[in-house]
Amino acid sequence: MTLESVPDRYAVIGNPIQHSKSPQVHALFAQQTRQAICYERLLAPVDRFADSVHEFVAQGGRGANVTVPFKLEAFVLAQELTPRAKAAGAINTLSFSAAGIKGDNTDGIGLVRDITQNAGVQLKNRLVLLLGAGGAARGVILPLIEENITSLVIANRTQPRAMELAQQFFHSGAPVSSAAFDQLDQRFDVIINATSASLDSELPPLPDCVFGPQTLAYDMMYGAQPTIFMQHAAQRGTAVRDGLGMLIEQAAESFFVWRGIRPETALVYRWLRGQL
Ligand code: NDP
């Protein structure tokens, strides 16, 4: 494929979608790797996700990212699933071919790469606390386990959801458990906020003992300013990081899934940080 060819079509599908930064990120990846693609935002009505995907495929779409609130519907729609998509129970990357619709999940590997490669924090032999039990939390559990962490504790506002999620992985022998916020009584090496609490400027009710001077507190949310969770953690002496790197790394993995080429992410990160 050359730059003169008709570009292959990709999209990010969600509702709302206007805020999505994925088109800019993928345009930069395409430019850098000289891939002829176009990548657009697709607003799907909340009750017409499957129809919207089929219409996009009929128009020649080659792949799509899926965002809120459709990641679970995408899981049902996909005819083939990668192992990491199966473990996540949610899809953020669809690939379309004559064989049908294939679902993948690149959120988890995006988080792991941002922590280990970009932040330089190793996960092997570490105690990890995961806050939240929604789609984002589900997607990162298997990739975290695969880094050979010592243990993963899941805490969530609605505790039965955390218990259910932990049991799903515990059954396969993974070091995963759940705890209520007020049961947390140890320091963690890495704390990952996969709740949407920061969106409402709210904090998960964490006891101070979970934070230590060697802790990395990671919020999947990102913005021009540190999130309330990052501010809270920094006041307790920890290193902090937001989810912008995860956003770019999950996009890079989707790009790799579709095009077989892994783009460089550091420059894109710096550019997007400057745009926030
Ligand atoms: P979901 O709606 O699926 O899950 C939300 C989670 O947050 C649930 O566990 C919910 O708990 C919890 N929660 C919501 N409000 C509060 C609160 N006030 N206090 C404590 N817990 C709360 O969302 P997602 O999992 O899809 O997304 C979560 C976050 O991750 C979002 O901010 C999203 O933007 C971010 N994200 C970032 C990505 C990136 O690339 N940087 C990729 C994917 C997601 P309960 O079960 O009790 O309702």
Coordinates of all heavy atoms in Angstrom, one line a residue, residues 1 5-13 26 35-42 52-65 94-96 258-259:
M1 N 0.8 -1.2 0.0 CA 0.0 0.0 0.0 C 0.9 1.3 0.0 O 1.8 1.4 0.8 CB -0.9 0.0 1.3 CG -1.8 1.1 1.5 SD -3.3 1.1 0.4 CE -4.1 -0.5 0.9
S5 N -2.5 5.4 -2.6 CA -3.6 4.5 -2.7 C -4.8 5.1 -1.9 O -4.7 6.0 -1.1 CB -3.3 3.1 -2.1 OG -2.0 2.8 -2.3
V6 N -6.0 4.5 -2.1 CA -7.2 4.9 -1.4 C -6.9 4.4 0.1 O -6.6 3.2 0.3 CB -8.4 4.1 -1.9 CG1 -9.6 4.5 -1.0 CG2 -8.7 4.6 -3.3
P7 N -7.0 5.3 1.0 CA -6.7 4.9 2.4 C -7.7 3.9 3.0 O -8.9 3.9 2.7 CB -6.8 6.2 3.2 CG -7.4 7.2 2.3 CD -7.4 6.7 0.9
D8 N -7.2 3.0 3.8 CA -8.1 2.0 4.5 C -8.8 2.8 5.6 O -8.2 3.6 6.3 CB -7.2 0.9 5.1 CG -6.7 0.0 4.0 OD1 -7.2 0.0 2.9 OD2 -5.6 -0.7 4.3
R9 N -10.0 2.4 5.9 CA -10.9 3.2 6.8 C -10.9 2.5 8.2 O -11.1 1.3 8.3 CB -12.3 3.3 6.3 CG -12.4 4.3 5.2 CD -13.9 4.5 4.8 NE -14.7 5.2 5.8 CZ -16.0 5.3 5.8 NH1 -16.7 4.8 4.8 NH2 -16.6 6.0 6.7
Y10 N -10.7 3.3 9.2 CA -10.8 2.9 10.6 C -11.6 3.9 11.3 O -11.8 5.1 10.8 CB -9.4 2.7 11.3 CG -8.6 1.7 10.6 CD1 -7.8 1.9 9.5 CD2 -8.6 0.4 11.1 CE1 -7.0 0.9 8.9 CE2 -7.9 -0.6 10.5 CZ -7.1 -0.3 9.4 OH -6.4 -1.3 8.8
A11 N -12.1 3.6 12.5 CA -12.9 4.6 13.3 C -12.9 4.2 14.8 O -12.5 3.1 15.2 CB -14.4 4.5 12.8
V12 N -13.3 5.2 15.6 CA -13.5 4.9 17.0 C -15.0 5.1 17.1 O -15.6 6.2 16.7 CB -12.7 5.8 17.9 CG1 -12.9 7.3 17.7 CG2 -13.0 5.5 19.4
I13 N -15.7 4.1 17.7 CA -17.1 4.1 17.9 C -17.5 4.3 19.3 O -17.0 3.5 20.2 CB -17.7 2.8 17.3 CG1 -17.3 2.6 15.9 CG2 -19.3 2.9 17.4 CD1 -17.8 1.3 15.2
H26 N -4.0 8.3 15.9 CA -3.8 7.4 14.7 C -3.3 8.1 13.5 O -2.6 7.5 12.7 CB -5.1 6.6 14.5 CG -5.3 5.4 15.4 ND1 -4.6 4.2 15.3 CD2 -5.9 5.4 16.6 CE1 -4.9 3.4 16.3 NE2 -5.7 4.1 17.1
Q35 N 1.6 4.7 6.6 CA 0.5 3.8 6.3 C -0.7 4.6 5.7 O -0.9 5.7 6.3 CB 0.0 3.1 7.6 CG 1.0 2.1 8.1 CD 1.1 0.8 7.2 OE1 0.1 0.1 7.1 NE2 2.2 0.6 6.5
A36 N -1.3 4.2 4.7 CA -2.4 4.9 4.1 C -3.7 4.5 4.8 O -4.4 3.6 4.4 CB -2.5 4.6 2.6
I37 N -4.0 5.2 5.8 CA -5.3 5.0 6.5 C -6.0 6.3 6.8 O -5.4 7.4 6.9 CB -5.1 4.2 7.9 CG1 -4.5 5.2 9.0 CG2 -4.2 3.0 7.7 CD1 -4.7 4.6 10.4
C38 N -7.3 6.2 7.0 CA -8.0 7.4 7.5 C -8.8 6.8 8.7 O -9.2 5.7 8.8 CB -8.9 8.1 6.5 SG -10.3 7.1 6.0
Y39 N -8.9 7.7 9.7 CA -9.5 7.2 11.0 C -10.4 8.3 11.5 O -10.0 9.4 11.7 CB -8.3 7.0 12.0 CG -8.7 6.4 13.4 CD1 -8.3 5.1 13.7 CD2 -9.4 7.2 14.3 CE1 -8.6 4.6 14.9 CE2 -9.8 6.6 15.5 CZ -9.4 5.4 15.8 OH -9.7 4.8 17.1
E40 N -11.7 7.9 11.7 CA -12.7 8.9 12.0 C -13.4 8.6 13.3 O -13.3 7.5 13.9 CB -13.7 9.0 10.9 CG -14.4 7.7 10.6 CD -14.9 7.5 9.2 OE1 -14.1 6.9 8.4 OE2 -16.0 7.8 8.9
R41 N -14.2 9.6 13.8 CA -15.1 9.4 14.9 C -16.4 8.9 14.4 O -16.9 9.5 13.5 CB -15.3 10.7 15.7 CG -14.1 11.2 16.4 CD -14.4 12.4 17.2 NE -13.2 13.0 17.8 CZ -12.4 13.8 17.2 NH1 -12.7 14.3 16.0 NH2 -11.3 14.3 17.9
L42 N -17.0 7.9 15.1 CA -18.3 7.5 14.7 C -19.2 7.5 15.9 O -19.0 6.7 16.8 CB -18.2 6.0 14.1 CG -19.2 5.6 13.1 CD1 -19.1 6.4 11.8 CD2 -18.8 4.1 12.7
S52 N -24.5 0.1 13.7 CA -23.5 1.0 13.3 C -22.2 0.3 12.8 O -21.6 0.8 11.8 CB -23.2 2.0 14.4 OG -24.3 2.6 14.9
V53 N -21.9 -0.7 13.5 CA -20.7 -1.5 13.1 C -20.9 -2.1 11.7 O -20.0 -2.0 10.8 CB -20.3 -2.6 14.2 CG1 -19.2 -3.5 13.6 CG2 -19.9 -1.9 15.5
H54 N -22.0 -2.8 11.6 CA -22.3 -3.4 10.3 C -22.3 -2.4 9.1 O -21.8 -2.7 8.0 CB -23.6 -4.2 10.3 CG -23.5 -5.4 11.2 ND1 -22.5 -6.4 11.0 CD2 -24.2 -5.8 12.3 CE1 -22.7 -7.4 11.9 NE2 -23.7 -7.0 12.7
E55 N -22.9 -1.2 9.4 CA -22.9 -0.2 8.3 C -21.5 0.2 8.0 O -21.1 0.4 6.8 CB -23.7 1.0 8.8 CG -25.2 0.9 8.7 CD -26.0 1.8 9.6 OE1 -25.4 2.9 9.9 OE2 -27.1 1.5 9.9
F56 N -20.6 0.4 9.0 CA -19.3 0.8 8.8 C -18.5 -0.3 8.0 O -17.7 0.0 7.0 CB -18.6 1.1 10.1 CG -17.2 1.6 10.0 CD1 -16.9 2.8 9.3 CD2 -16.1 0.9 10.5 CE1 -15.6 3.3 9.2 CE2 -14.8 1.4 10.4 CZ -14.6 2.6 9.7
V57 N -18.8 -1.5 8.3 CA -18.1 -2.6 7.6 C -18.6 -2.6 6.1 O -17.8 -2.7 5.2 CB -18.5 -4.0 8.2 CG1 -17.9 -5.2 7.4 CG2 -17.9 -4.1 9.6
A58 N -19.9 -2.4 5.9 CA -20.4 -2.4 4.5 C -19.8 -1.2 3.7 O -19.7 -1.3 2.5 CB -22.0 -2.2 4.6
Q59 N -19.4 -0.2 4.4 CA -18.8 1.0 3.7 C -17.3 0.8 3.5 O -16.6 1.7 3.1 CB -19.1 2.3 4.5 CG -20.5 2.7 4.6 CD -20.8 3.7 5.8 OE1 -19.8 4.1 6.4 NE2 -22.0 4.0 6.0
G60 N -16.8 -0.4 3.9 CA -15.4 -0.6 3.7 C -14.5 -0.5 4.9 O -13.3 -0.6 4.8
G61 N -15.1 -0.3 6.1 CA -14.3 -0.2 7.3 C -13.4 -1.4 7.5 O -13.9 -2.5 7.3
R62 N -12.2 -1.2 7.9 CA -11.3 -2.3 8.1 C -11.1 -2.7 9.6 O -10.7 -3.8 10.0 CB -9.9 -2.0 7.6 CG -9.9 -1.7 6.1 CD -9.9 -3.0 5.3 NE -8.7 -3.8 5.6 CZ -7.6 -3.8 4.9 NH1 -7.4 -2.9 3.9 NH2 -6.5 -4.5 5.2
G63 N -11.4 -1.7 10.5 CA -11.2 -2.0 11.9 C -11.8 -0.8 12.7 O -12.0 0.3 12.1
A64 N -12.0 -1.0 14.0 CA -12.6 0.1 14.8 C -12.1 -0.1 16.2 O -12.0 -1.2 16.7 CB -14.1 0.1 14.7
N65 N -11.9 1.0 16.9 CA -11.8 1.0 18.3 C -13.2 1.2 18.9 O -14.1 1.9 18.3 CB -10.9 2.2 18.8 CG -9.4 1.8 18.6 OD1 -8.7 2.6 18.0 ND2 -9.0 0.7 19.1
L94 N -11.7 -3.9 17.2 CA -12.4 -4.8 16.3 C -11.6 -4.8 15.0 O -11.2 -3.7 14.5 CB -13.8 -4.4 16.0 CG -14.8 -4.4 17.2 CD1 -16.2 -3.8 16.8 CD2 -15.1 -5.9 17.6
S95 N -11.5 -6.0 14.4 CA -10.9 -6.1 13.0 C -11.9 -6.8 12.1 O -12.5 -7.8 12.5 CB -9.6 -6.9 13.1 OG -8.7 -6.4 14.0
F96 N -12.1 -6.2 10.9 CA -13.1 -6.7 10.0 C -12.4 -7.4 8.8 O -11.5 -6.8 8.2 CB -14.0 -5.6 9.5 CG -14.5 -4.7 10.6 CD1 -14.3 -3.4 10.5 CD2 -15.1 -5.3 11.7 CE1 -14.8 -2.5 11.5 CE2 -15.6 -4.5 12.7 CZ -15.5 -3.1 12.6
W258 N -3.9 -4.0 13.6 CA -4.5 -3.8 12.2 C -3.4 -3.8 11.1 O -3.7 -4.3 10.0 CB -5.2 -2.4 12.2 CG -6.4 -2.3 13.1 CD1 -7.3 -3.3 13.3 CD2 -6.9 -1.2 13.8 NE1 -8.3 -2.8 14.2 CE2 -8.0 -1.5 14.4 CE3 -6.4 0.1 13.9 CZ2 -8.8 -0.6 15.2 CZ3 -7.1 1.0 14.7 CH2 -8.3 0.6 15.3
R259 N -2.3 -3.2 11.4 CA -1.3 -2.9 10.3 C 0.0 -3.7 10.4 O 0.8 -3.6 9.5 CB -0.9 -1.4 10.3 CG -2.1 -0.4 10.4 CD -3.1 -0.5 9.2 NE -2.5 -0.3 7.9 CZ -3.1 -0.2 6.8 NH1 -4.4 -0.5 6.8 NH2 -2.5 0.0 5.6

